[in-house]
Amino acid sequence: MSARSLRCVVRIAYSATGWVDHLRKLTLPQLERHLYAAADILRGKMDASEYKEYIFGMLFLKRASDLFDAERERVMARYKGRGEAEAERRAEQPESYQEAFFVPPIARWAHLANQLHHNVGDGLNKALAALEEANPASLEGVVQHIDFNRQVGSSRIPDRKLRDLIKHFGRHRLRTDDFEFPDLLGAAYEYLIKEFADSAGKKGGEFYTPRAVVRMMVRLVKPAEGMSVYDPCSGSGGMLIHAKEYVEEHGGNPRNLILAGQENAGSVWSISKMNLLLHGIPDADIRNDDTLANPRHVRDGQIQVFDRVLSNPPFSLNYSRDGMQHPERFRWGWAPEGGKKADLMFVQHMVSVLKDGGLAATVMPHGVLFRGGAERGIRTALLDEDIIEAVIGLAPNLFYGTGIPACVLVLRAPRSKPPDRAGRVLFINADHEYAAGRAQNYLLPEHIEKIVTTYEAFEDIPGYARVVTREELRANYDNLNIRRYADNSPPPEPQDVRAHLHGGVPKAEVADKKDLFTEHGFTVDAVFVDRDDDYYDFAPGVERAGLAALVTDHPGVREREAALVAAQDSWWDEHRKLIVELPSTRQLMAARAELLNSYIAALLQVGLLDRFQLSGVVVRWWDINQFNLRTLATRGFGGVVDGWLVTIESALGGEAPYGHPLPRRLVPDYLEELAKLDAERASLEAEIKSAAQPNDNEDDAVDDGEEAVSETDLKKLKARLTSAKKRQKELSAAFSATLARKRGTLTAEQEQDLVMSIWHDDLTAHLGSYIFAHRRHIVTALESWWDKYAVSLTTLEDRRVSAAAQLKTHLVELGYA
């Protein structure tokens, strides 16, 4: 029996709309594709800012219904001994449901899938309203505002489209037991929010902060068990969710964490509530109102205070003092009401809600650092009370809705800095720390690691960070322009006039690159020969096109790179047990910390990459594999392999994922045969195309020893092509079953060896990318010297004289001179 047939046997119906496979867990890539495909159903008729609520609402309804069904089964089993009628009665009582929302009959998925065929929009609206009314404590105002009958353009979404949406969401059951790791749905929801933010462009900034920035900010303030965390402009809730995950990952109890936030936009507030609920956070206190005008977290007439504050408030808003509640929050000064300068008002609100010893991190535009007038007065007042601890400049174009660079301010409650930081401010200039994307730039894990490590060290790093005293800031009129204190501008490219005129490469310039060359084991005698005491010449035979190969093949370079890879292999052999033991320890972040620190210690002594580059290798590897590592901790190595298998199978509707490492390891002969068939097919198609092209010019029909393909031979070629296509189709169709059969033969030990070898190779590939980047810096230096000095002005003048003489000779020969 094939794997596909086996799966059909074990599938059981759970509603009339779909089937669920109880032997396979839903993977994150599979669920992400599923949600994206749901958006495709509505995409085209409206933009992302319009249809995102429908997708969020449908997903939330499906999840609530599936969890209700699971809990209902437990309720029925609990009261089964009292008779079927009593069990049914208890199962229809809302008070029986403590671990799930009570879902009224008209909101249950079976009803929506089987009975809702006409006026579908109205039926979905009633389902959401009933769900909210049945669970007012958690859902009041969250879903009822979603209107599936809302007119879009000149029409509503037709019943057919909404039925397609219901059928699509019915393809997968969304119980927690169906997921490869518990928080899979939350991770998928975050993916969906990001996709909508990407599609919405500038509007995406209203509800989404790039998660790399969020992770960095959470690591700066380090929330811990027992603390309260607040976001006054909570958007989709990402800051609070990552604070909870940070506590959980570091061994704390996330249930012993108070999360609170406020969001002005009603639709975004709704998204954040659903996001938090889908992440298993039912008790976050999220309010809907204007934070500056009417802060809602008030107790006994006093503003509530918190241990940690995290936020990315909207940039450059206007505000009004008229009717503003709790003006005592702004005792450091009032920014101008016009001119879109509310930024420092948000800063003051955050400081005012910090407990003694509290810590905040907020994104701000650079203007707050240096604008004069009332804003300078506010800065001075904040500095005088030692509130500003760090100013971190970020790269441009990281955020949706603005291409301007932003900064992160780290703030302490007044006069509560640690003694060694009192009266000082750390400036970090990280505006060069980013990777360029197609539409946006983004932070890589190593950039976050460098920023956080520098903040924790609170020390000077030339060209990157500097600790500045209050006296120096005062002398600069409290101008906090980052580049004034931590200037990372590259030095101007040196230009040697003598070398330009007469040739040669200045030895002084080469000496400036000594550290770069030494780190990589490169010596300049492979490229240069002495010209005199102050200049080199490029060695005979060296050409610009061959510089990269010359560096790559340099014995010292190869030896140093091999030493780094060998150090990694030794480290892996010693520390792989931290990963192998995750199914029993489940201490993901403890393992991450030990892997990171030990990796840096083991490889730093080789001397090729610095600590930030080495940390980037591990952190990037970890981030890419983090969900597989969660699966490992939850379901073991077999679960990881099964997850890969499900991901591959779910992708077979599009381009077959033959490049995934799993089939390359399990069925290499199968892939090799497919590759040979692909090459054979391409060759036959080229032959047939060439033979079929008419030759209309008889003069061009030169006999080069090749005879024209006869009609008989052409038929044979076409028959071979048909056979190759058929065989290729057969092999492709059998790919999933072949892979599943091979997977079924693996022992537990083989599963572990397979996963660990794939992860080791992945880590080695990441290390290789850093080695290549470092080597490329050497090549770039050599190419720059070639471009500047390989051809001198004297040589150019000689060539000009020679070319003029040749031209004159040709003109004489032609009778023009």
Side-chain angles (χ1 to χ4, degrees), residues 284-530:
D285 183 9
I286 311 299
R287 310 291 179 88
N288 179 204
D289 210 333
D290 183 331
T291 299
L292 291 183
N294 187 23
R296 298 291 300 277
H297 292 87
V298 178
R299 185 173 296 160
D300 298 328
Q302 299 294 316
I303 293 285
Q304 285 182 245
V305 290
F306 302 90
D307 296 291
R308 295 291 185 266
V309 177
L310 290 157
S311 197
N312 176 19
F315 289 0
S316 306
L317 292 183
N318 289 318
Y319 79 99
S320 174
R321 294 177 64 171
D322 185 33
M324 182 177 281
Q325 304 297 305
H326 298 280
E328 69 276 7
R329 294 173 288 161
F330 309 110
R331 64 184 178 87
W332 295 276
W334 294 88
E337 292 182 66
K340 297 184 176 180
K341 295 180 179 179
D343 307 298
L344 285 176
M345 303 302 287
F346 281 110
V347 169
Q348 292 186 78
H349 170 77
M350 293 178 217
V351 175
S352 71
V353 299
L354 283 175
K355 291 182 179 178
D356 290 340
L359 187 61
T362 180
V363 180
M364 281 284 132
H366 275 243
V368 303
L369 303 178
F370 53 78
R371 287 197 294 252
E375 289 178 285
R376 188 178 76 180
I378 296 172
R379 284 198 306 274
T380 297
L382 294 171
L383 289 166
D384 285 344
E385 294 198 39
D386 218 6
I387 289 168
I388 302 175
E389 180 166 88
V391 181
I392 303 169
L394 301 179
N397 203 30
L398 287 178
F399 297 89
Y400 293 91
T402 177
I404 64 172
C407 66
V408 170
L409 299 183
V410 183
L411 310 164
R412 292 272 183 180
R415 307 187 191 285
S416 68
K417 286 183 184 176
D420 60 333
R421 299 186 179 191
R424 303 195 298 165
V425 177
L426 173 67
F427 288 83
I428 299 175
N429 194 342
D431 63 3
H432 291 172
E433 306 295 323
Y434 69 93
R438 185 179 60 184
Q440 273 188 280
N441 298 327
Y442 53 96
L443 293 178
L444 294 176
E446 58 265 34
H447 302 143
I448 298 172
E449 201 69 30
K450 186 174 182 180
I451 291 169
V452 173
T453 302
T454 302
Y455 168 73
E456 291 172 346
F458 215 79
E459 296 173 350
D460 293 353
I461 298 177
Y464 184 72
R466 183 163 169 248
V467 178
V468 182
T469 65
R470 177 71 186 98
E471 290 73 23
E472 183 176 349
L473 294 173
R474 187 178 290 111
N476 286 318
Y477 303 99
D478 295 329
N479 184 322
L480 304 184
N481 189 314
I482 299 168
R483 202 172 286 273
R484 180 183 289 256
Y485 306 103
D487 190 355
N488 61 357
S489 302
E493 178 69 29
Q495 302 291 340
D496 188 292
V497 176
R498 178 184 162 185
H500 281 302
L501 291 174
H502 303 294
V505 177
K507 289 184 177 180
E509 288 189 28
V510 177
D512 288 341
K513 299 291 184 181
K514 179 182 177 181
D515 290 345
L516 172 66
F517 296 160
T518 301
E519 288 165 356
H520 218 113
F522 182 74
T523 54
V524 296
D525 56 6
V527 183
F528 299 125
V529 294
D530 283 333

Side-chain angles (χ1 to χ4, degrees), residues 663-815:
R664 291 204 305 267
R665 299 301 183 95
L666 290 185
V667 288
D669 295 340
Y670 184 90
L671 295 183
E672 184 179 354
E673 186 176 357
L674 270 174
K676 287 180 179 178
L677 281 170
D678 193 50
E680 180 184 355
R681 175 177 174 173
S683 175
L684 289 169
E685 286 174 340
E687 283 189 64
I688 292 169
K689 182 178 180 181
S690 176
Q693 286 179 343
N695 191 342
D696 297 328
N697 190 346
E698 293 184 1
D699 293 336
D700 291 341
V702 180
D703 184 4
D704 291 329
E706 296 183 4
E707 297 182 3
V709 178
S710 68
E711 193 66 32
T712 301
D713 289 339
L714 185 59
K715 287 182 178 179
K716 290 181 179 179
L717 286 173
K718 290 182 177 179
R720 287 175 56 197
L721 176 61
T722 300
S723 176
K725 285 182 177 180
K726 181 180 178 182
R727 178 60 180 152
Q728 189 179 36
K729 186 176 182 180
E730 290 171 349
L731 279 177
S732 297
F735 173 72
S736 178
T738 303
L739 192 61
R741 278 198 300 272
K742 185 64 176 179
R743 185 269 172 273
T745 66
L746 296 177
T747 64
E749 183 179 359
Q750 288 172 328
E751 290 170 350
Q752 176 180 307
D753 290 344
L754 172 66
V755 173
M756 292 299 288
S757 66
I758 288 175
W759 282 347
H760 171 266
D761 288 355
D762 188 29
L763 184 67
T764 302
H766 285 298
L767 179 64
S769 69
Y770 280 87
I771 292 173
F772 173 81
H774 194 277
R775 188 195 318 135
R776 185 63 209 169
H777 288 310
I778 300 174
V779 176
T780 299
L782 298 177
E783 290 175 343
S784 175
W785 289 324
W786 182 281
D787 294 340
K788 288 194 295 184
Y789 304 129
V791 182
S792 66
L793 180 60
T794 302
T795 302
L796 290 173
E797 288 178 337
D798 291 343
R799 290 177 181 176
R800 180 181 62 81
V801 171
S802 175
Q806 291 179 12
L807 176 61
K808 184 174 181 181
T809 300
H810 290 316
L811 291 174
V812 169
E813 291 173 352
L814 293 170

